[in-house]
Amino acid sequence: MKSIEHINNALADLDKEVENILMDWSINLTEKDNLMLPLLQQKKVLKQTLEDLTYLKENPPTPNQPCGISKYREDS
């Protein structure tokens, strides 16, 4: 699946952005938190999407049946 590759690339890009923020000594801690929060939220959504797509790739639904992903997902 091409989408899995794109999600992995996006996760790597987010990791780089977070690392750049953490390594920038000119930014105070509060500002770092404010800059990183949306990035970490995006990362969480992308990770869940990646898990869902990987599950569906490994366990494709039968035709005309619901995929059942809600049974697999652990809400946290």
Side-chain angles (χ1 to χ4, degrees):
M1 280 187 171
K2 203 71 164 159
S3 53
I4 290 176
E5 181 182 329
H6 290 301
I7 291 172
N8 281 324
N9 291 339
L11 285 168
D13 289 345
L14 283 172
D15 284 339
K16 287 178 191 173
E17 285 187 54
V18 168
E19 185 176 337
N20 288 338
I21 292 169
L22 287 172
M23 295 304 193
D24 189 343
W25 294 101
S26 66
I27 303 173
N28 68 43
L29 290 177
T30 303
E31 191 175 346
K32 284 183 182 187
D33 288 345
N34 292 335
L35 291 171
M36 288 191 315
L37 180 61
L39 297 176
L40 296 175
Q41 288 172 331
Q42 290 174 29
K43 189 173 176 179
K44 182 178 179 180
V45 170
L46 285 173
K47 279 184 176 182
Q48 183 63 60
T49 303
L50 180 62
E51 287 177 18
D52 291 348
L53 287 175
T54 303
Y55 174 82
L56 288 174
K57 183 179 179 183
E58 294 169 358
N59 305 286
T62 57
N64 299 322
Q65 295 295 318
C67 68
I69 193 101
S70 60
K71 293 181 224 167
Y72 155 78
R73 183 183 280 179
E74 294 178 20
D75 289 332
S76 52

